[in-house]
Amino acid sequence: MSIEKCRNEIDRIDSEILELFHQRMGVVSEIAKLKKASHASVLNRAREREILHRVFNNSENKLGKYSVNLFTTLMELSRAYQREQNSPDRGMRDELDVIRANTPARFPESAVVACMGMEGTYGQIACDRLFKVANIIYFKNFAGVCKAVSDGLCEYGVLPVDNTTSGTVDGVYELMQQGNFHIVRSINQQVSSVLLAPRGVKLKDVKEIYSHPQPFKQCSEFLKNLEGVKLTVADSTATAAAMAADSGRNDVAAIASRNCRDLCNLEIISDNIQNSDYNYTRFVCISRIPQIFPGANKISLIAVLSHRPGALHSVLSKFSALGLNLTKLESRPIPGRKFEYMFYFDFEASVADPGIAELLGELRNETEKFVFLGNYSEI
C-alpha cells in the first residue's frame, strides 16, 4: 500500500478505537456507581495485574511491552474518571479559590524581606528587583530566612533555588518540604562573577579565595587554572568579599558580585570568571500566608509517591493528558527511608483552570505526601 492508503487505514482503525474507548468509559462509569454504592475502593491492584497479564500473553511477541504500556495508561484514565464521578476533590478547588480571593490585586511594592548574607549578595539584588522598596533583614543561612518568614518576623523571604550552571542550590528544597511557607513569585537573576582583592593585590599573588559554594561550582573552569590556591567557603559572596577586605592580607581574594567592589573597597583583578555567560540563578519569593496573584502561570509542588513500579509514570501521565509543560522534575532522598525519594515538580499552569485544580486534588488524594508550594509568576 501507498503511505496515503496506510494513513487512511490508520484513520479508520483510530475511529474504531475511539468508539470502543467511549464504550469502555461508559462501562467504567457504571462501575464507578457500583463502587460508590458499596463503598469499594477505586483502585483494585489484583484486577489490574490480571488485565495486564492477559494483555501481555495475548499480544504478539514484539508488541507485548507496548500493549502493557497502552493498557496501563488506559487504566489510569479509568481510575481518574471514576474518582472524578464519585469524589471530585472540591476541597482542593475551594481552598485555592479562597487563597485567590484573599490575595491582593497587585504584588506589593514595599515589604519587610528576609535575605541570606549581607548587602551586595545576589539575593539582595534579586530582592530589589522584586520590590521597589524593600526593608531587608539579613540572616546567616537559608534556614534563618525560612524561620523568619514562618515565624512572621518578615512578610517575605528570597531564596535561590536553581542555577543554569551549577544546578540545584543544596539545602533549599529540603526546607521547602516542611511546608511552612509558600512561593508567591520567582525571578531569574543573571550572575556575573568577578574576583575581588584588596588594593594592590595581583592575581599571581593570590593564595586563598573566599566564596559561597555555588560560585566555586560556577567558576570551576577559571579556578582549575590557579594551582595551589586554597578555596575557603563563606556564608555568602558578600561575606566573602568582607572577609577579604578585613583580612589585612595581600594574598587573598573573593568571588563575588561587582556590587561588592565599592561596598568593601576592593579591586576587580579578574572579570567575568563564570564558566558561561548564560549564568542565571532562579530566586523564589516566599510567604507564610499563601497568595496567588493575578497572572500566576507557574506551579511548584512536592509529592512522595508510592514505592512501586509505575508510580512516577502514573503521575506523569496526568500531566501529559492535560498537555502541561513540566519545566522541572527532581528527586531527593527521603531521610530515614532506604533509596526512596520525594519528587519536586515545576510546571506551567494556573489554578484558575478548573482542570488544574482537579489535577492537584487527584495528586493530593493519590500520593503519600503532597505539598502545594504555590502558583506564581516568574519574571
Side-chain angles (χ1 to χ4, degrees):
M1 289 191 296
S2 66
I3 190 169
E4 189 62 35
K5 287 184 178 180
C6 288
R7 287 171 174 168
N8 290 337
E9 183 65 7
I10 285 177
D11 289 344
R12 182 190 65 79
I13 295 171
D14 285 348
S15 296
E16 294 181 11
I17 292 174
L18 182 60
E19 176 60 31
L20 290 172
F21 175 71
H22 288 168
Q23 291 180 30
R24 191 182 196 279
M25 296 302 271
V27 177
V28 166
S29 180
E30 292 301 316
I31 291 175
K33 295 175 185 177
L34 295 171
K35 286 183 177 179
K36 184 175 183 180
S38 62
H39 304 288
S41 172
V42 167
L43 177 62
N44 186 333
R45 288 288 179 207
R47 169 64 175 162
E48 292 193 358
R49 280 195 297 271
E50 175 190 327
I51 292 173
L52 294 178
H53 183 72
R54 183 178 71 246
V55 165
F56 184 81
N57 287 336
N58 290 341
S59 298
E60 295 181 13
N61 290 337
K62 293 183 178 180
L63 295 178
K65 62 180 181 180
Y66 299 105
S67 301
V68 168
N69 285 339
L70 171 63
F71 275 79
T72 298
T73 301
L74 189 60
M75 289 187 292
E76 167 63 31
L77 295 172
S78 296
R79 289 198 303 272
Y81 191 47
Q82 290 182 59
R83 290 192 180 96
E84 182 181 336
Q85 289 192 304
N86 285 355
S87 56
D89 192 345
R90 280 294 315 179
M92 187 74 189
R93 187 182 299 178
D94 291 344
E95 289 171 26
L96 295 170
D97 286 345
V98 169
I99 294 173
R100 293 172 62 210
N102 291 335
T103 300
R106 296 180 61 187
F107 192 77
E109 295 185 348
S110 176
V112 180
V113 186
C115 282
M116 191 191 81
M118 56 189 292
E119 196 77 14
T121 62
Y122 283 104
Q124 173 254 308
I125 297 170
C127 181
D128 284 341
R129 289 181 60 202
L130 286 163
F131 300 91
K132 286 187 176 181
V133 182
N135 179 10
I136 302 177
I137 300 178
Y138 292 103
F139 295 86
K140 187 176 181 180
N141 50 41
F142 299 139
V145 172
C146 294
K147 189 174 189 304
V149 173
S150 61
D151 289 351
L153 176 63
C154 296
E155 299 169 84
Y156 298 98
V158 173
L159 294 170
V161 289
D162 300 293
N163 178 267
T164 53
T165 300
S166 56
T168 298
V169 178
D170 294 335
V172 175
Y173 282 93
E174 282 68 19
L175 293 166
M176 285 186 179
Q177 67 174 287
Q178 298 173 14
N180 295 328
F181 56 81
H182 307 269
I183 301 174
V184 296
R185 185 149 291 193
S186 69
I187 187 169
N188 292 318
Q189 174 64 49
Q190 187 172 19
V191 175
S192 179
S193 295
V194 297
L195 188 65
L196 300 173
R199 296 186 179 280
V201 175
K202 307 299 181 184
L203 181 60
K204 62 182 178 61
D205 303 326
V206 174
K207 298 293 187 291
E208 185 174 6
I209 297 176
Y210 308 129
S211 198
H212 187 268
Q214 285 294 314
F216 283 146
K217 294 179 184 178
Q218 296 163 21
C219 303
S220 59
E221 293 298 317
F222 170 79
L223 293 171
K224 73 180 183 181
N225 294 317
L226 303 180
E227 295 183 6
V229 174
K230 179 183 178 182
L231 304 182
T232 300
V233 172
D235 291 333
S236 70
T237 52
T239 301
M243 289 168 61
D246 297 338
S247 67
R249 295 166 54 184
N250 60 3
D251 62 351
V252 296
I255 299 176
S257 72
R258 191 177 301 273
N259 291 19
C260 292
R261 176 186 59 181
D262 295 333
L263 288 170
C264 298
N265 194 28
L266 298 171
E267 290 184 331
I268 297 175
I269 61 172
S270 195
D271 204 352
N272 293 322
I273 62 173
Q274 65 277 356
N275 295 347
S276 170
D277 289 337
Y278 190 82
N279 188 30
Y280 286 81
T281 295
R282 185 165 76 100
F283 289 86
V284 293
C285 180
I286 61 172
S287 168
R288 179 172 60 89
I289 301 171
Q291 296 175 316
I292 302 175
F293 290 93
N297 57 6
K298 190 165 189 175
I299 292 176
S300 294
L301 58 88
I302 298 172
V304 176
L305 312 183
S306 300
H307 191 54
R308 61 174 178 81
L312 180 58
H313 175 271
S314 176
V315 172
L316 294 180
S317 67
K318 297 179 187 296
F319 289 99
S320 179
L322 292 174
L324 298 175
N325 183 26
L326 194 63
T327 58
K328 183 179 179 68
L329 172 59
E330 180 166 341
S331 62
R332 307 287 287 186
I334 302 175
R337 293 168 68 169
K338 184 179 179 181
F339 297 117
E340 295 187 37
Y341 301 86
M342 62 186 70
F343 293 88
Y344 296 82
F345 299 85
D346 285 346
F347 58 100
E348 296 173 349
S350 169
V351 298
D353 181 344
I356 300 302
E358 290 178 8
L359 168 67
L360 296 176
E362 286 182 27
L363 292 175
R364 182 166 69 174
N365 289 334
E366 297 175 17
T367 54
E368 291 186 16
K369 179 179 180 179
F370 176 83
V371 180
F372 174 70
L373 291 172
N375 186 193
Y376 53 93
S377 298
E378 185 165 282
I379 58 176

